[in-house]
Amino acid sequence: MTMESALDTAREQLQRAVDLLGLSENDWQTLSTPRRILEVAVPLRRDNGDVEMYKGFRVQYSTTRGPSKGGVRFHPSIDMDETVALAMLMTWKCALTNLPYGGAKGGIAVDPKDLSERENERLTRRYTSEILPIIGPERDIPAPDVGTDERNMAWMMDTYSVNAGYSVPGVVTGKPIVLGGSLGRTSATGDGVVISSVEALKARGINPAGATVAVQGFGKVGYWTAIGLENLGLKVVAVSDVNGAVTGFSSVADLWKYFTDHGNLNMPGTDAMTQEELLHLEVDVLIPAALSDAITEKTAVGIKAKIVVEGANAPTTPAGDRILIDKGILTVPDILANSGGVIVSYFEWVQDKQNYFWSAEEVKSNLNEIMMRSFKEVENTATTKKVSWREAAHMIGVGRVAEAHKLRGLYP
Ligand code: NAD
């Protein structure tokens, strides 16, 4: 069995959309080429005085529809190819949701768990200063992703602002509220996954009340998804983190309390299971919300869920996807299901530009409107064109970027 990389997966999905849209070889060349790639060395002085070097990346895949936009990932296995793949996905996601952005991604090949708080701050600030010439509120706007959070965004915003000589809150999103963050941003990706799960259940004629769910990942996306679904009356039967999965807890709220107090999911009275056992549970909805390549040729075979909602980016390989389609499992693709994060990031950027801040209700209702609009567009395209929801989502996103390219023309 050959393992496809995240970049192979992203390019294969793009090729399929280009074919379905009947675009030309010239269009393929334009759409499959990242616009700007930066690799930087990020030196870190450890607390004990030693100096270590880390690799940092920033990829601006597209700026055709506006400034590029995408998260910053701190993870030991991140490399340039994966960053390009994730920046490509951001491009189609922003176009699908019709936000005035291109797509970007960045990160450092580091395990943040190996860093003290002060080391994390120094690394974040040095990375920011290395990529500083190419970011900015009108150029490229980073946000949190795996291994980073609002603290990192505060340091990035401060480093950029110190260099500019004045406060520039719009340079990053996912900031703390007191620094110009938006209400509702912390839970936004999970909120969007919740909307996608409920709507997908309705589309399949399943009553969401009491429907069963398994969630892989218990981080920013996994937690807010699980608690949001539980609050709506769905039954979350299992969750996992990097160390394994757990079932038999009475509520997500209780498990979260135990997890934040003890740093693990081994709550007394619960039963441990493997990641694979979680993926293979007989549930209505399976939500991969950790890393890419969770659903592969190997793991897809045993999946018994009726619906897969992709909270993570690129959690399903093309071979895994084909198996899900053959089994008649409905997959709500990442660029739709997890778009709530970038939608509320967009709201944060708009609020920062206007220095006028919205209520939590306004954020929620505007998020709901864009998610529902995108959801219906994907569902309708899948039905009318007789394609999968992933193909439909990519057709819409890629189609909008291709049209924008044509209208702008080629300089010179
Ligand atoms: P996070 O760092 O907050 O959480 C990641 C979770 O995955 C943790 O619970 C971790 O223990 C778990 N995990 C890590 N490796 C694992 C493994 N091998 N098996 C099982 N679990 C594992 O990250 P996050 O922000 O929640 O992001 C999760 C996914 O969602 C990523 O694919 C990310 O790109 C995507 N995403 C995040 C956002 C956002 O706003 N944070 C938006 C869109 C998409």
Side-chain angles (χ1 to χ4, degrees):
M1 187 187 73
T2 53
M3 198 67 191
E4 281 167 290
S5 72
L7 186 55
D8 293 336
T9 301
R11 286 175 69 86
E12 198 169 323
Q13 288 165 354
L14 171 62
Q15 179 70 66
R16 180 80 184 128
V18 164
D19 291 347
L20 285 165
L21 289 163
L23 298 176
S24 66
E25 173 60 25
N26 282 345
D27 292 323
W28 161 258
Q29 292 297 341
T30 308
L31 293 163
S32 63
T33 309
R35 284 301 177 269
R36 191 180 278 148
I37 288 181
L38 180 64
E39 180 176 322
V40 294
V42 194
L44 167 70
R45 189 179 301 284
R46 302 295 300 238
D47 291 340
N48 67 6
D50 288 350
V51 174
E52 283 174 6
M53 301 300 293
Y54 292 90
K55 271 188 186 169
F57 310 97
R58 188 72 189 166
V59 173
Q60 297 172 347
Y61 193 85
S62 170
T63 50
T64 307
R65 301 180 73 255
S68 50
K69 179 95 192 79
V72 174
R73 182 174 285 202
F74 283 8
H75 193 276
S77 73
I78 190 164
D79 59 19
M80 189 56 89
D81 273 7
E82 188 181 21
T83 312
V84 171
L86 294 168
M88 193 193 310
L89 279 181
M90 280 304 295
T91 304
W92 318 140
K93 190 186 300 181
C94 292
L96 168 64
T97 45
N98 227 345
L99 305 180
Y101 288 139
K105 204 79 180 190
I108 305 178
V110 65
D111 188 345
K113 287 199 284 302
D114 293 343
L115 303 173
S116 70
E117 170 106 359
R118 293 179 56 216
E119 288 170 341
N120 193 329
E121 176 175 351
R122 286 198 289 274
L123 194 70
T124 304
R125 286 187 184 279
R126 183 61 188 249
Y127 169 71
T128 309
S129 84
E130 295 296 338
I131 65 165
L132 200 118
I134 66 166
I135 61 171
E138 310 300 336
R139 294 169 188 264
D140 178 16
I141 306 128
D145 191 71
V146 175
T148 58
D149 58 24
E150 60 175 41
R151 287 173 319 159
N152 301 87
M153 295 307 113
W155 296 325
M156 290 190 79
M157 178 267 193
D158 183 68
T159 305
Y160 188 91
S161 299
V162 165
N163 280 274
Y166 53 93
S167 276
V168 188
V171 65
V172 289
T173 58
K175 297 179 295 295
I177 304 289
V178 289
L179 293 180
S182 176
L183 293 171
R185 174 61 184 91
T186 314
S187 63
T189 309
D191 292 341
V193 179
V194 168
I195 294 170
S196 298
S197 305
V198 169
E199 291 306 312
L201 282 163
K202 287 191 205 156
R204 278 288 180 265
I206 303 169
N207 183 358
T212 52
V213 187
V215 184
Q216 183 196 45
F218 207 42
K220 294 184 290 294
V221 180
Y223 166 68
W224 286 107
T225 298
I227 195 80
L229 290 169
E230 179 170 280
N231 289 340
L232 284 180
L234 287 82
K235 176 76 190 140
V236 179
V237 296
V239 303
S240 70
D241 75 349
V242 65
N243 297 314
V246 66
T247 186
F249 45 88
S250 52
S251 76
V252 172
D254 284 351
L255 185 65
W256 180 251
K257 184 167 181 344
Y258 182 88
F259 183 68
T260 48
D261 289 347
H262 297 84
N264 64 65
L265 293 169
N266 313 326
M267 188 165 82
T270 60
D271 299 310
M273 56 167 60
T274 64
Q275 299 283 354
E276 197 152 304
E277 283 170 333
L278 178 143
L279 293 177
H280 296 164
L281 283 172
E282 201 157 338
V283 284
D284 294 309
V285 187
L286 172 65
I287 303 180
L291 296 179
S292 38
D293 296 343
I295 302 178
T296 62
E297 198 174 353
K298 185 167 156 269
T299 59
V301 179
I303 290 181
K304 299 178 201 70
K306 298 187 182 76
I307 298 166
V308 170
V309 180
E310 296 184 334
N313 282 313
T316 310
T317 64
D321 203 28
R322 281 189 287 275
I323 294 171
L324 296 184
I325 290 169
D326 288 347
K327 282 164 154 278
I329 297 170
L330 170 64
T331 301
V332 184
D334 46 10
I335 61 171
L336 172 62
N338 70 31
S339 62
V342 72
I343 293 170
V344 178
S345 272
Y346 164 62
F347 297 161
E348 179 174 334
W349 179 73
V350 167
Q351 293 171 76
D352 287 339
K353 276 168 103 67
Q354 299 183 340
N355 288 311
Y356 179 74
F357 290 87
W358 308 353
S359 67
E361 291 69 34
E362 199 169 353
V363 171
K364 215 176 177 66
S365 124
N366 287 340
L367 169 64
N368 196 56
E369 189 183 320
I370 297 184
M371 286 294 310
M372 290 300 289
R373 182 186 70 205
S374 309
F375 194 94
K376 289 296 167 206
E377 280 177 355
V378 170
E379 190 179 12
N380 290 342
T381 304
T383 311
T384 52
K385 304 282 182 202
K386 298 189 172 38
V387 294
S388 72
W389 286 38
R390 188 186 311 283
E391 288 166 334
H394 277 82
M395 284 173 77
I396 298 167
V398 171
R400 282 191 183 136
V401 177
E403 189 189 351
H405 271 299
K406 283 205 177 74
L407 291 169
R408 283 184 62 156
L410 179 61
Y411 172 85

